[in-house]
Amino acid sequence: MRSTFRVLFYTKNQAIKNGRVPVMGRITVNGTTASFSCKRDVPIALWDAKGNCAKGKSEEARRLNRELENIKAQIGKHYQYLSRSEERFSRNAET
């Protein structure tokens, strides 16, 4: 069975503190979502809502984008591992 999987990042704009907002993540699998805090914050002016990342080439923006890509890659690896485990479990249950 084919499933849908997506990871995106956004800011929690209601929690502005000193011009900075927390970066949040959302994982969607087959229409079911789970949100989490990335434990990072960003100046509100640096966040690109359409791109789901920090904009610009400043050191802070590049560092944050690297961290977000790392988080996304780790989530993807865990999803692939769980998908393979589920496939093995399903095949063993059929026999």
Side-chain angles (χ1 to χ4, degrees):
M1 183 167 108
R2 187 175 169 184
S3 65
T4 60
F5 172 74
R6 183 175 173 128
V7 178
L8 66 87
F9 299 103
Y10 62 98
T11 56
K12 192 172 182 181
N13 292 337
Q14 318 71 300
I16 297 174
K17 192 179 233 183
N18 298 325
R20 299 179 73 87
V21 290
V23 178
M24 305 294 290
R26 182 179 300 130
I27 303 168
T28 305
V29 179
N30 295 333
T32 303
T33 62
S35 296
F36 61 93
S37 170
C38 293
K39 307 276 194 269
R40 308 283 188 277
D41 62 5
V42 63
I44 196 161
L46 255 182
W47 188 253
D48 178 8
K50 286 185 180 180
N52 299 317
C53 62
K55 58 186 169 187
K57 295 188 182 208
S58 68
E59 182 59 34
E60 183 176 19
R62 290 191 316 215
R63 179 188 50 79
L64 178 62
N65 288 337
R66 275 194 310 267
E67 291 173 357
L68 295 179
E69 282 301 315
N70 186 35
I71 291 169
K72 193 173 189 176
Q74 291 296 319
I75 291 169
K77 285 179 186 177
H78 287 290
Y79 175 74
Q80 288 176 347
Y81 173 78
L82 291 172
S83 294
R84 284 193 304 268
S85 297
E86 185 178 288
E87 284 176 15
R88 284 194 301 266
F89 177 75
S90 295
R91 278 192 225 130
N92 289 339
E94 291 172 1
T95 59

